Amino acid sequence: SRWKTLQAKRLADTGDVVEHPEYAQAGRDLRLGDQLRAIRRSRNLTQKEVAERAGISQPALSRIELGGGVPDIETLRRLGNAMGVRFHVIIGKEDAEQENLRLTG
């Protein structure tokens, strides 16, 4: 993926052999952005349409899609509604025991 390529280049440039913890978070941010963009495109929606429906700016949606951060739960819910999808969010360590909690609103 483009993130792994960028990460490998950065590690080579700095001479670091140990991965920084921030890389894992940045990789998750990029994957979320890629997933949101793929969903939006599969529904033939523009960033402007989704942003207006979700009540955020188009530049904010662009930043999210480019991995510039993770939206809060409420914004993610509004983005899902704007695209006609429902997201299931997993919060916590990936290797932790799973408990299902359904938040409705």
Side-chain angles (χ1 to χ4, degrees):
S1 75
R2 64 187 169 145
W3 171 246
K4 287 292 183 188
T5 303
L6 179 63
Q7 177 185 14
K9 182 183 181 321
R10 175 77 172 151
L11 288 172
D13 289 347
T14 62
D16 287 344
V17 292
V18 177
E19 186 173 299
H20 294 282
E22 294 84 14
Y23 285 147
Q25 180 61 49
R28 286 189 294 272
D29 293 355
L30 281 170
R31 284 190 302 277
L32 174 66
D34 289 345
Q35 291 171 335
L36 289 172
R37 183 175 44 259
I39 292 167
R40 177 181 57 77
R41 287 180 174 171
S42 74
R43 284 159 172 68
N44 295 315
L45 296 167
T46 66
Q47 283 185 345
K48 183 179 179 183
E49 290 171 321
V50 172
E52 286 176 355
R53 292 177 187 178
I56 64 172
S57 69
Q58 182 275 325
L61 177 55
S62 178
R63 277 191 303 277
I64 293 167
E65 287 188 0
L66 292 172
V70 176
D72 60 35
I73 297 294
E74 177 57 24
T75 301
L76 192 57
R77 183 190 63 77
R78 291 192 333 248
L79 287 169
N81 288 342
M83 293 186 285
V85 297
R86 183 173 48 184
F87 298 115
H88 295 272
V89 179
I90 299 172
I91 300 172
K93 291 186 175 186
E94 293 178 21
D95 60 350
E97 186 176 324
Q98 182 177 335
E99 287 288 333
N100 291 320
L101 174 65
R102 181 169 293 236
L103 300 176
T104 59

